Amino acid sequence: MRTKSSATAPSSIAVTTPAVPATATVGGTLQAALGVAAFSLTFPATAWGLEGFGPWSLVAVRCVLAALIAGGCLLTLRIPLPERRHWAGLAVVAAGVVVGFPLFSTLALQTSTTAHAAVVVGLLPLTTALFSALRVGTRPSRTFWTAALVGAAAVVAFTVQQSGGALTTADLYLFAALLVCAAGYTEGGRLARVMPGWQVIGWALVLCLPLAAAGAAVALSYEPVRLTWHGVSGLLWVAAGSQFLGLVVWYRGMAAIGIPKASQLQLAQPLLTLVWSVLLLGEHLTVAAPLTAAAVLVCIAVTQRARG
């Protein structure tokens, strides 16, 4: 007589998670690096933008333009609305990346050089890794954390040397920018695992459009505008390059290689910004810049090889 044991017995076949192909890792690293390159131009472009616009106008108008670009892409491709459970995360991305970081960093750049701002924001990779550990539950290795802390220490030492050890109002704005941006990066990286990265930033921008449009109308009525080549070029870059295209490839990269490792690529961002500050703004660097460059590049190599 046949029994039913074979039908009811649990399967002995082990279910394994497929390994991430090496090409996906390389592609994710490349996309994250392109995002970093785009972000490295943000401070110089913002400084250019401030030549023609007031700080509040610049932030509001850049958000409106970026939201229109993102909304146009979403409409053209007929992308459906995100699920209700994702809107809270998109609100965090909007508050941190679309509004908070641009506002605080722009206010800081009224009195700070781009070189100084760049090295302060060099703490962003470590801050993002900390937020990731708290929010997503990632557990990078001890080697990873050691290299990240060394890289952060190098950035702090450079910052202290540049500012003479005194914190300014601009530094406080920059530290606030660090916190909100790290929260936005972490939440955006988490969402990019369940929806395309460009849709994450796209919907976050669209979410901010009503507020940004109202803010732009008010700011432009109070702050004078001078349409210079630098001012318009800076505005267009921070809107299209930094606010949309850069974040698209950045979130795709984070989804592919993980938030902690992607965040450590940003250790190179201050160094790239220092180069742009010299080439585009004529700022002068101290001899500490190449020393910091060597330190953080070593840290990038270590963190990218460390297992998380």
Side-chain angles (χ1 to χ4, degrees):
M1 185 174 179
R2 299 174 66 180
T3 65
K4 298 182 179 179
S5 59
S6 61
T8 57
S11 172
S12 60
I13 299 175
V15 178
T16 58
T17 302
V20 179
T23 53
T25 301
V26 173
T29 301
L30 178 59
Q31 290 182 93
L34 288 174
V36 170
F39 300 153
S40 71
L41 279 163
T42 299
F43 284 172
T46 299
W48 274 11
L50 287 172
E51 294 180 16
F53 298 87
W56 295 92
S57 298
L58 181 61
V59 172
V61 173
R62 73 180 271 185
C63 183
V64 170
L65 293 177
L68 291 176
I69 296 172
C73 293
L74 292 168
L75 284 174
T76 300
L77 297 175
R78 298 181 180 180
I79 304 298
L81 289 172
E83 297 178 26
R84 182 178 298 179
R85 61 192 177 97
H86 296 322
W87 281 105
L90 290 171
V92 174
V93 176
V97 178
V98 177
V99 177
F101 183 81
L103 178 59
F104 288 130
S105 60
T106 300
L107 292 174
L109 286 172
Q110 291 185 101
T111 56
S112 172
T113 65
T114 60
H116 180 81
V119 291
V120 174
V121 176
L123 292 174
L124 184 57
L126 179 59
T127 310
T128 303
L130 288 172
F131 271 81
S132 174
L134 294 173
R135 177 67 178 91
V136 186
T138 55
R139 294 294 182 267
S141 67
R142 186 174 300 177
T143 301
F144 178 98
W145 283 116
T146 300
L149 288 171
V150 171
V155 170
V156 170
F158 185 88
T159 304
V160 171
Q161 189 271 337
Q162 289 284 300
S163 64
L167 288 179
T168 64
T169 302
D171 291 323
L172 297 179
Y173 280 136
L174 291 169
F175 287 135
L178 280 175
L179 294 176
V180 297
C181 190
Y185 278 174
T186 300
E187 199 65 23
R190 186 185 67 82
L191 288 172
R193 296 176 179 177
V194 296
M195 67 173 72
W198 77 271
Q199 292 182 27
V200 174
I201 185 57
W203 287 117
L205 284 164
V206 170
L207 188 64
C208 289
L209 182 56
L211 176 63
V218 173
L220 289 171
S221 66
Y222 282 95
E223 294 178 337
V225 174
R226 294 187 301 111
L227 295 180
T228 64
W229 184 86
H230 274 183
V232 173
S233 298
L235 171 63
L236 292 177
W237 177 259
V238 294
S242 302
Q243 194 85 66
F244 183 64
L245 297 177
L247 286 168
V248 167
V249 293
W250 173 244
Y251 281 138
R252 285 176 62 89
M254 279 201 296
I257 65 176
I259 297 173
K261 285 194 173 184
S263 70
Q264 297 312 302
L265 288 174
Q266 280 198 304
L267 283 171
Q269 183 175 325
L271 311 174
L272 291 173
T273 301
L274 292 176
V275 173
W276 297 126
S277 70
V278 173
L279 297 178
L280 299 178
L281 303 175
E283 294 183 1
H284 299 285
L285 304 181
T286 65
V287 293
L291 297 178
T292 307
V296 296
L297 287 176
V298 169
C299 292
I300 290 174
V302 173
T303 55
Q304 292 305 297
R305 295 178 68 87
R307 292 182 178 180

